[in-house]
Amino acid sequence: MVTAFMDMVGVLMVLPLLPFFVKDMGAGGLVVGMLVSSFSIAQLLMAPVWGRLSDHYGRRPVLVIAMTASGIAYVFLRSPTPSGCCS
């Protein structure tokens, strides 16, 4: 339960700001919709894979790997863009 909460907190920090980021980069509403839907599609496709890994290796190691990967992704998401990009 805590793992799902932490994952959703990360997503819900980015989701409200996504339209502003996309607008600053010059894209439109279609891109926002595709980005939001890509998260749901990725969950749909990867849920069976994570389920099989969890059945094979146990729930705790799979959760640790998933949360570590999420943390690393959020660090990269937070890091500043290279100079000259998206200014």
Side-chain angles (χ1 to χ4, degrees), residues 7-86:
D7 186 40
M8 292 313 295
V9 164
V11 170
L12 294 175
M13 285 189 314
V14 174
L15 195 61
L17 301 173
L18 189 62
F20 301 110
F21 292 148
V22 171
K23 184 180 176 186
D24 286 344
M25 293 182 185
L30 179 65
V31 174
V32 173
M34 288 175 28
L35 287 171
V36 171
S37 65
S38 68
F39 175 76
S40 298
I41 291 170
Q43 280 188 322
L44 176 72
L45 295 176
M46 292 307 296
V49 174
W50 285 112
R52 283 205 182 127
L53 287 173
S54 180
D55 290 343
H56 188 267
Y57 294 108
R59 183 176 56 180
R60 185 175 302 255
V62 172
L63 286 175
V64 168
I65 291 169
M67 292 308 295
T68 302
S70 289
I72 291 169
Y74 289 132
V75 166
F76 282 120
L77 183 67
R78 186 208 172 277
S79 60
T81 58
S83 61
C85 174
C86 310

